[in-house]
Amino acid sequence: MSASRYDLRVYPGFRAITILCLVILYAPLLVVTIYSFNASPSITNWEGVSLRWYADVFTGPESGKFKLAARNSFVIAIIAASVATCIATLSATAILRAGKYKLRMLSFGLISLPLMVPEIVTAVATLIFFNAIGFDRGLLTILLAHIAFCIPFAYLPIAARMQGIEATYEQAAMDLYATRRQAFTRILLPLMAPGIVSGFLLAFIVSLDDFIITNFVKGAGIETLPTAIFGAVKQGIKPNIMAISTMLLGVSVVMVTLSWLISRKDKTK
Amino acid sequence: MAGGAATGGSSTSDTYAEARTWLLLPAWVTLGILVLAPVTMMLIYSFLTKEFRGGVIWEFSLSAYDQFFFDRGLFGDDPPRIEWTYIQIFWRSIWQAGAATLLSLVIGFPTAYFIATRAPAQRTFWLFLVTIPYWVNLLIRTVSMKFLLRDQGPLNEALLGIGIISEPLSIVNTNVAVQLGLFYSYLPFMVLPIYAAVERYNFTLSEAAADLYASRWTVLRRILLPSVKPGIIAGCILVFVPSMGSFLAPDLLGGAKNFMIGSLIEEQFKGNAGNWPFGAAASMILLTLVLIILLIFARQQSKAES
């Protein structure tokens, strides 16, 4: 009897479906990564391992375009993630450490709004808004739009971390005559560091990856990596695009892994 | 998901109560200007007159909504009939999103259950494996899916090689390709809330049912599934809502025959022949649909909690 009790948790086939799930999730990414090292200019035939498409990305005829797009993407992602992380940290403090008040839930709703509104709707609304106030579309419009949708992604890990920190630390500091500002900058912020870093990293990836909103609010001729890739893919998938994709994929995986390791480390403490 | 936990009341303090206005100000200013004002402006634009090369003329008009729902003939003076074109596009989007949600549930539930019944130390690792692909650029994932599925692609080569099929399968540009693409885009949203629900599930309930001679599958159907239903519903909504308005999967994997709302809206703004008020109206209709779904969901959740 007792043996069958433990078996109750196990459903035959569930392990197989989980593995199938992981295969579906990883197969497309693995295949593109493998084919990015293909020596052949055709995307169908395999002609041996080569780095020629990576070289092509950096020195080929389209390298200027890709370099500019990459620079735009990274500059926007760094600024947008930094600003969003600051705003999210202040908001989390107001929502989790400033008592209960009327605007509290409403503020939380406002911060999660970009997650609930379909991306294409946000894209349309932002484009219309910039048009209505006569703001010329360019890098700045992309940056502003990115700051807005990065806020909830930065907020979630920051708020999760802040919830795990007892308010007694700051109260102890203030009992010892620390000002409120000192309690915030010397006690709360250092304790918050892992949450803030992982919030920044998630916001950074989300900004780096965005296509739909960027595509709507970018000015003519201004490209980020995703819009440049989309433009190229419209003419067919080429090997150099697979090389760029693999590199971008690598950046995302490294960032998420970092974010995961940081948040895991502070749980084990 | 994390949203509920992040606002929970238990660990709130009022250390910074006096500064709360200043702490919240940046978020309200930023999101007010960059989200609330734009959505309001979009609502206004949907009631304006179109300019022929994109943009609007500031003159009140209902023609965007009229064009969406009614067909008044080529010259606009026939008696109005229901215009099915756009309703059909919405219907197709809902159907495709529904199919993708079902697919995500069929694969996501066993996966979430399997992960939640691992040893606690292993769970985060499994969850991490499932969520990594979500953080990879959606465009790259969709392109990769197309690369894998195309007629001369690795999937067909492999199947031909093993001898399961004798002709390559044409998957790209079908409904199935779009559904697979949507599934691939949003699967973690299905797994995470179900995982959270199963992790909280009290397995002594299963044992009690088994002691009363319920079979494993009866336990699943009658005890486990009803207990984790809130997680399942949350997962379904989190997959369904973004699927409905998605652009990349239908655009890259679906081709012209499988046009969805996202492409309809995009076409109004990115092409020269665009009709901004019509695009704004279609976006408003999509937003309204989404908000209705979320509202019903929120009401059910609060009912379930009380």
Side-chain angles (χ1 to χ4, degrees):
Chain A
M1 194 64 209
S2 67
S4 76
R5 281 182 182 231
Y6 289 107
D7 284 344
L8 264 178
R9 287 165 155 256
V10 180
Y11 283 90
F14 277 24
R15 175 188 292 266
I17 294 176
T18 306
I19 289 165
L20 172 76
C21 177
L22 291 175
V23 169
I24 300 176
L25 287 177
Y26 284 92
L29 301 178
L30 281 179
V31 162
V32 163
T33 305
I34 292 168
Y35 272 80
S36 72
F37 294 104
N38 187 358
S40 163
S42 138
I43 58 166
T44 315
N45 305 320
W46 180 260
E47 284 178 14
V49 178
S50 140
L51 286 174
R52 76 180 267 203
W53 300 114
Y54 288 87
D56 183 80
V57 169
F58 290 104
T59 56
E62 292 179 297
S63 61
K65 191 179 85 182
F66 290 134
K67 269 179 202 156
L68 198 60
R71 209 188 64 194
N72 288 341
S73 271
F74 280 94
V75 168
I76 289 170
I78 289 170
I79 303 177
S82 309
V83 177
T85 306
C86 292
I87 296 176
T89 308
L90 297 179
S91 309
T93 312
I95 288 172
L96 294 171
R97 273 178 152 62
K100 304 212 175 218
Y101 49 97
K102 240 190 244 160
L103 271 178
R104 189 169 162 259
M105 286 314 286
L106 201 63
S107 300
F108 176 69
L110 178 78
I111 287 166
S112 356
L113 203 56
L115 294 179
M116 292 186 281
V117 176
E119 221 187 333
I120 188 118
V121 174
T122 311
V124 167
T126 317
L127 167 65
I128 283 177
F129 178 70
F130 286 134
N131 178 267
I133 61 171
F135 203 109
D136 279 335
R137 273 177 273 161
L139 276 179
L140 190 59
T141 49
I142 306 180
L143 177 64
L144 289 171
H146 279 223
I147 290 173
F149 70 71
C150 282
I151 292 175
F153 287 95
Y155 179 84
L156 291 177
I158 291 174
R161 171 76 188 170
M162 196 178 285
Q163 276 195 308
I165 301 170
E166 300 280 340
T168 43
Y169 294 114
E170 297 141 82
Q171 274 149 16
M174 284 165 73
D175 287 344
L176 298 167
Y177 301 105
T179 62
R180 195 169 286 113
R181 183 183 294 265
Q182 282 172 330
F184 182 75
T185 53
R186 302 258 187 101
I187 308 292
L188 186 60
L189 277 187
L191 285 171
M192 289 288 302
I196 292 174
V197 172
S198 93
F200 173 85
L201 291 175
L202 291 191
F204 182 87
I205 305 172
V206 170
S207 165
L208 196 64
D209 284 0
D210 179 74
F211 168 73
I212 294 175
I213 294 173
T214 310
N215 189 34
F216 269 73
V217 302
K218 76 188 177 77
I222 292 178
E223 304 284 354
T224 62
L225 276 177
T227 63
I229 292 174
F230 184 79
V233 165
K234 276 285 168 185
Q235 270 109 49
I237 304 173
K238 295 198 189 71
N240 60 348
I241 294 302
M242 290 198 273
I244 294 185
S245 301
T246 305
M247 288 187 275
L248 209 49
L249 193 159
V251 171
S252 300
V253 172
V254 168
M255 293 266 176
V256 183
T257 311
L258 273 180
S259 164
W260 183 68
L261 288 176
I262 291 166
S263 63
R264 200 181 63 139
K265 206 173 142 202
D266 67 63
K267 256 179 214 147
T268 53
K269 259 183 206 162
Chain B
M1 280 191 308
T7 53
S10 57
S11 62
T12 51
S13 73
D14 54 4
T15 317
Y16 305 101
E18 279 166 41
R20 66 170 71 124
T21 316
W22 297 106
L23 292 171
L24 279 175
L25 199 64
W28 276 94
V29 170
T30 318
L31 294 170
I33 294 176
L34 293 168
V35 180
L36 295 180
V39 171
T40 315
M41 197 54 86
M42 180 175 77
L43 178 67
I44 297 172
Y45 265 47
S46 72
F47 290 106
L48 295 179
T49 309
K50 74 167 173 183
E51 175 97 76
F52 278 96
R53 294 168 141 226
V56 287
I57 301 165
W58 281 82
E59 220 168 85
F60 177 81
S61 159
L62 282 172
S63 61
Y65 291 94
D66 188 84
Q67 183 190 343
F68 191 95
F69 292 109
F70 299 110
D71 174 11
R72 295 175 191 272
L74 192 55
F75 303 103
D77 47 9
D78 291 357
R81 282 174 299 144
I82 301 274
E83 168 69 85
W84 290 108
T85 318
Y86 307 116
I87 297 172
Q88 255 168 10
I89 291 174
F90 265 68
W91 177 241
R92 184 184 303 128
S93 308
I94 291 172
W95 200 87
Q96 291 282 61
T101 307
L102 194 67
L103 186 65
S104 308
L105 179 62
V106 167
I107 299 204
F109 180 81
T111 305
Y113 182 89
F114 178 78
I115 296 174
T117 51
R118 295 303 90 200
Q122 290 176 21
R123 286 178 204 163
T124 47
F125 177 71
W126 281 96
L127 275 183
F128 180 60
L129 273 187
V130 171
T131 40
I132 285 185
Y134 172 73
W135 295 107
V136 172
N137 195 321
L138 179 58
L139 173 63
I140 290 177
R141 274 185 291 153
T142 313
V143 171
S144 308
M145 195 58 142
K146 183 171 186 171
F147 181 77
L148 180 72
L149 296 178
R150 83 207 138 82
D151 292 3
Q152 285 93 37
L155 179 70
N156 270 314
E157 302 245 311
L159 292 176
L160 284 170
I162 306 171
I164 296 177
I165 52 171
S166 54
E167 296 260 309
L169 302 168
S170 312
I171 307 172
V172 173
N173 293 344
T174 64
N175 281 334
V176 177
V178 178
Q179 288 154 17
L180 268 175
L182 293 175
F183 160 81
Y184 195 28
S185 308
Y186 305 115
L187 179 79
F189 291 158
M190 181 67 82
V191 174
L192 293 175
I194 297 180
Y195 163 82
V198 175
E199 205 189 22
R200 278 196 306 268
Y201 173 72
N202 184 351
F203 275 94
T204 52
L205 289 174
S206 296
E207 285 171 25
D211 287 345
L212 297 167
Y213 303 104
S215 76
R216 202 192 298 257
W217 298 99
T218 313
V219 170
L220 176 75
R221 213 178 59 236
R222 304 280 292 271
I223 314 287
L224 180 66
L225 282 181
S227 306
V228 300
K229 202 171 118 197
I232 293 177
I233 294 174
C236 288
I237 286 182
L238 288 172
V239 174
F240 185 82
V241 165
S243 294
M244 207 166 55
S246 72
F247 167 71
L248 284 173
D251 190 72
L252 291 171
L253 293 163
K257 264 175 70 188
N258 298 295
F259 213 67
M260 282 172 54
I261 312 172
S263 314
L264 175 71
I265 293 173
E266 202 247 15
E267 208 176 48
Q268 308 307 321
F269 293 94
K270 297 307 283 184
N272 271 333
N275 181 340
W276 283 33
F278 182 71
S283 305
M284 279 313 299
I285 295 169
L286 173 62
L287 183 61
T288 313
L289 268 175
V290 167
L291 290 182
I292 290 172
I293 294 172
L294 291 176
L295 219 70
I296 295 173
F297 170 64
R299 181 160 296 178
Q300 277 206 332
Q301 289 288 80
S302 65
K303 218 186 272 172
E305 269 165 34
S306 67

